[in-house]
Amino acid sequence: MLILVAFIILNLLPPHFVISTTITTTSAGHAIPFPAFEHLNVKSSIAATELRPAASATNNYSDDQEITQKQKSIYYNHNSSTVKLNLLHRDKLSFSWHNDHRRRFEARMKRDVRRVASLTRRLSGGGAAAYEVSDFGSEVVSGMDQGSGEYFVRIGVGSPARSQYVVIDSGSDIVWVQCQPCSQCYHQSDPVFDPSDSASFSGVSCSSAVCERVENSGCHAGRCKYEVSYGDGSYTKGTLAMETLTIGHTMVQNVAIGCGHMNRGMFIGAAGLLGLGGGSMSLVGQLGGQTGGAFSYCLVSRGTGSFGSLEFGRSVLPVGAAWVPLIQNQRAPSFYYIGLSGLGVGGTRVPIAEDTFRLSELGNGGVVMDTGTAVTRLPTAAYVAFRDTFMAETANLPRAPGVSIFDTCYDLNGFVTVRVPTVSFFLSGGPILTLPASNFLIPVDEKGTFCFAFAPSPSGLSIIGNIQQEGIQISFDGSNGYVGFGPNVC
């Protein structure tokens, strides 16, 4: 029986950076050329470590703003209009509190370690964190360096809409904001949301079907209570409510949100969290048939003055992307798993058994796409083989001592550009995702110390973090069960 399989190489490198190509062979025996080397611009990467807060993000809603009839029609008619939301990294916002890049980096890595430990416990069944409780979009603010997430988006909450920065998290199934009266709240950049000022706020009763969908929900005075605990010790507690969210210029009514009256942890600056996971209580799940589970994001690259983007709806799915199947893990339906068959360095496939990245029948292992994790984690054996191959290809570069979670670093002080081997992900089904150099060699200080931005996983779980996702258009087609990479860079 002859099976014809189409193999795709997705090359996201700027063409002038590629100086050599090589031939590799897929597991099916097909030969595919992909770039072996590129140039890393050291000087511009170091310059990008300078803290340059972005101008005020768009999509700000004044407290007396009224939703126009045109905006209402976008929601009610479910038409194909697309609205973008800005995505911003936390370092771009005025409340970023480390001016020194090395200190920001070290704080980010500490939070990342907590994030990964939390995901590992949750996805291995060892004490999970409970997440209880027409097309449009927004710019994305690269934002929460916190363990809860790296990127912020600006939305309007209530009627009239109050502007709030919220963390986006592809591994969470809850939308929540801090609420008055706040018996315990952390600092946020915007005034804390007051539900008494919103004409569209409505508490959820204990007997509501919505309340039943929230894990470990409770009841007090007839109102549905929620409590979400995160692995780093952060939590939010409060009441569940139906509220109107304004995303871009699109009004979305009757969204179930958590109104947090007791909140603690790693969310400093943001008002709350916008869950984009695969569960029914995430924003994606609640939109359901209106968007077909379709959304797309581009995470802004560090150090640039531009915004990333977050969009919802089937019309935002790009033509020409490399699509790979999403893999369902019944033990963790909120997370987006993909198939990974191998890794490449310098145009050569690293000898790693494909089973290394496989999701077991018991729901262990596998590869998760996560916006809230910064650094990609790989099972230790795979990481060691991957790292050693990269080190062998960069033997001509001066080494530097390890930094934080990174054990492979280089002293590139004085270099303008350096020639480095490409790094590639071999995705199940054939596509090869070749990363830009800035997505795997990152500056950890202003002096020219760069590190190989991968780390070993504390378990068999692999996590593709947001550093490796930056600048790549990533799209999810939930109704058909696919994730797409490219074809555009952002």
Side-chain angles (χ1 to χ4, degrees), residues 90-293:
R90 176 176 182 266
D91 289 351
K92 300 286 186 66
L93 302 178
S94 59
F95 52 77
S96 183
W97 42 275
H98 283 318
N99 292 323
D100 177 80
H101 178 73
R102 180 63 174 260
R103 291 180 62 204
R104 292 198 312 271
F105 163 77
E106 290 177 348
R108 184 184 192 188
M109 292 303 102
K110 288 178 181 178
R111 288 186 290 268
D112 208 48
V113 168
R114 288 195 290 267
R115 168 77 176 195
V116 170
S118 173
L119 293 186
T120 301
R121 285 194 300 271
R122 183 180 177 193
L123 298 180
S124 63
Y131 287 82
E132 307 172 7
V133 195
S134 74
D135 306 343
F136 52 90
S138 174
E139 291 177 334
V140 171
V141 181
S142 170
M144 279 307 268
D145 276 1
Q146 324 289 9
S148 59
E150 290 285 322
Y151 289 83
F152 283 69
V153 69
R154 194 124 172 103
I155 65 173
V157 181
S159 303
R162 269 42 176 204
S163 294
Q164 306 274 273
Y165 278 118
V166 289
V167 176
I168 66 164
D169 191 343
S170 62
S172 294
D173 282 342
I174 186 73
V175 180
W176 64 268
V177 295
Q178 296 196 115
C179 281
Q180 299 285 9
C182 210
S183 57
Q184 178 182 301
C185 280
Y186 57 81
H187 173 72
Q188 65 178 67
S189 59
D190 298 301
V192 175
F193 177 68
D194 190 342
S196 66
D197 292 335
S198 174
S200 50
F201 183 91
S202 175
V204 172
S205 68
C206 299
S207 59
S208 168
V210 174
C211 189
E212 293 177 357
R213 288 159 55 189
V214 178
E215 292 184 34
N216 302 320
S217 60
C219 186
H220 179 72
R223 294 299 181 190
C224 183
K225 312 291 283 188
Y226 81 96
E227 179 176 344
V228 180
S229 299
Y230 299 89
D232 61 2
S234 304
Y235 59 78
T236 175
K237 303 177 183 180
T239 56
L240 198 67
M242 306 305 292
E243 185 54 289
T244 294
L245 301 184
T246 305
I247 302 178
H249 295 289
T250 301
M251 182 181 68
V252 185
Q253 296 176 325
N254 296 319
V255 178
I257 71 168
C259 189
H261 301 294
M262 293 186 65
N263 315 284
R264 175 187 175 185
M266 309 301 295
F267 306 100
I268 306 301
L273 186 141
L274 190 70
L276 299 176
S280 64
M281 289 297 287
S282 75
L283 181 62
V284 177
Q286 292 192 58
L287 290 172
Q290 298 171 44
T291 61

Side-chain angles (χ1 to χ4, degrees), residues 379-430:
T380 300
Y383 169 75
V384 169
F386 187 42
R387 177 204 61 195
D388 289 353
T389 304
F390 186 84
M391 288 174 59
E393 294 286 345
T394 54
N396 61 318
L397 296 179
R399 292 292 302 275
V403 178
S404 184
I405 65 173
F406 298 137
D407 60 14
T408 304
C409 301
Y410 301 86
D411 180 4
L412 302 184
N413 182 32
F415 287 86
V416 176
T417 63
V418 292
R419 183 177 185 262
V420 296
T422 55
V423 165
S424 303
F425 293 146
F426 285 70
L427 304 175
S428 297

Side-chain angles (χ1 to χ4, degrees), residues 11 13-22 34-40 346-347 393 396 417-422 434 437:
N11 180 14
L13 303 175
H16 63 280
F17 279 178
V18 179
I19 61 176
S20 177
T21 59
T22 190
F34 74 99
F37 295 95
E38 58 177 309
H39 282 111
L40 171 69
E393 294 286 345
N396 61 318
T417 63
V418 292
R419 183 177 185 262
V420 296
T422 55
T434 301

